[in-house]
Each structure stands twice: as C-alpha cells, then as structure tokens.
C-alpha cells in the first residue's frame, strides 16, 4: 500500500536508499513526506531510465515533473540569470524581503561552481547540508550564497 501524501508541517527527509542522496530528491522528500526512493522513481520516470538509477543532479524541469506527480505545483517566481553572479541576491538578503511565510519556496543557488536546491518555508531551510532536518536560516549553511532562481511550491491536494 502506498504511503499517503502529507502536505502539512515540516517533513523530515527519509533517506531509505542506503546511500548518499542528492539535493533534488532531498528537497522533494522534505516537501512531500515521501521517502527519497519514491521521489527518485518519479525523477527517473521523467528521465525514462531505470527507476532505481542513482540521481546526482536534477534540472528544474525534472524537479517540477516529480513534484507534479507527487501532488505539488512548482511555479517560477523570480530569476536572476540576467544579472552577473556577484550582483545576484544572497539567501540572507532575500530573507529580509516580505513573502508568504506559509508557502514553500524552492531556491536554486550557487554552491561552488555548481547549482544546488534548497527548500525554505518561513524562516527555516532544509537540504542535504542540513541532513534533511529543518534549521533556522540564520543558523544554516547558505546565508551568503547567491540565488539563481526562486520557485513557489503549492499543494494540488
């Protein structure tokens, strides 16, 4: 029997794969309450590969497709690609702006030379660097990180 969709509260990530999981599946597990294996199945279904293939990186399109299958809608609200990297806002600066504290925000950020997904709700953050735990942004690891894109996630249920 499939685990029911949970859309309230701050879900703890469930890594049931027995290996290291990456940011895309992590944030979708925190959002939906589904275990990482279920999230990876949806990403791999979209990629049209074996459903147990390891996922090391995800595009916005892959995350959106998996989120949709898991009962969520992902909408781009801001993009900073048109700005030079040094001119893009940091997570901390973005946190100072007014926004809906009850909405989940998915942020594509710079992490070194690569991109990284983080999930924000209210004043808390969850990702692989917080080990799937929800932490206050002020205590988290990404305060000075530059943002590439911001998405809103809303439950379709």
């Amino acid at each position: 029997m499939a685990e029911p969709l949970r859309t309230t509260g701050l879900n703890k990530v469930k890594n049931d794969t027995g290996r290291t999981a990456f940011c895309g599946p992590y944030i979708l597990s925190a959002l939906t309450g589904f275990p990482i294996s279920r999230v990876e199945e949806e990403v791999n279904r979209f990629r049209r590969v074996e459903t147990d293939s390891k996922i090391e990186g995800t595009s916005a399109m892959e995350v959106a497709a998996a989120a949709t299958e898991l009962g969520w809608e992902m909408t781009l609200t801001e993009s900073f690609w048109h700005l030079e990297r040094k001119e893009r806002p940091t997570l901390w600066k973005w946190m100072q702006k007014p926004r809906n504290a009850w909405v989940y925000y998915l942020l594509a950020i710079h992490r070194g030379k690569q991109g990284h997904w983080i999930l924000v709700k209210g004043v808390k953050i969850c990702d692989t660097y917080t080990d799937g735990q929800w932490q206050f942004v002020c205590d988290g690891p990404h305060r000075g990180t530059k943002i590439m894109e911001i998405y809103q996630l809303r439950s379709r249920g």
Side-chain angles (χ1 to χ4, degrees):
M1 187 165 147
E3 186 177 341
L5 178 66
R6 288 185 300 278
T7 59
T8 60
L10 300 175
N11 298 308
K12 182 181 175 201
V13 172
K14 294 184 193 102
N15 187 355
D16 61 341
T17 64
R19 58 175 161 67
T20 301
F22 289 79
C23 58
Y26 248 80
I27 58 93
L28 286 171
S29 177
L31 176 71
T32 65
F34 285 111
I36 286 178
S37 62
R38 173 79 169 90
V39 171
E40 287 183 342
E41 279 180 28
E42 292 305 330
V43 173
N44 284 326
R45 187 182 336 270
F46 179 78
R47 290 179 174 177
R48 295 188 172 130
V49 298
E50 293 295 318
T51 56
D52 60 349
S53 295
K54 183 178 179 179
I55 294 172
E56 293 187 12
T58 49
S59 69
M61 193 179 313
E62 292 168 335
V63 171
T68 298
E69 290 301 316
L70 297 170
W72 290 78
E73 182 180 306
M74 184 170 137
T75 307
L76 178 66
T77 58
E78 291 186 79
S79 177
F80 302 103
W81 285 110
H82 64 284
L83 299 174
E84 292 291 324
R85 183 173 174 170
K86 64 184 176 185
E87 294 174 13
R88 294 175 186 165
T90 63
L91 172 60
W92 189 248
K93 187 169 188 119
W94 177 75
M95 289 295 295
Q96 309 309 310
K97 291 182 172 184
R99 68 188 179 293
N100 188 336
W102 304 107
V103 172
Y104 286 94
Y105 293 93
L106 176 60
L107 278 63
I109 62 171
H110 291 285
R111 194 69 190 166
K113 292 185 178 187
Q114 297 185 359
H116 181 67
W117 294 112
I118 60 173
L119 188 60
V120 175
K121 184 175 185 189
V123 294
K124 293 202 170 184
I125 182 176
C126 186
D127 75 336
T128 54
Y129 288 85
T130 66
D131 199 28
Q133 304 285 332
W134 286 90
Q135 270 187 3
F136 288 105
V137 172
C138 61
D139 299 329
H142 306 296
R143 289 183 308 273
T145 324
K146 301 290 187 170
I147 300 172
M148 296 182 278
E149 293 177 324
I150 301 171
Y151 297 87
Q152 273 191 9
L153 294 153
R154 295 194 186 265
S155 173
R156 294 183 316 145

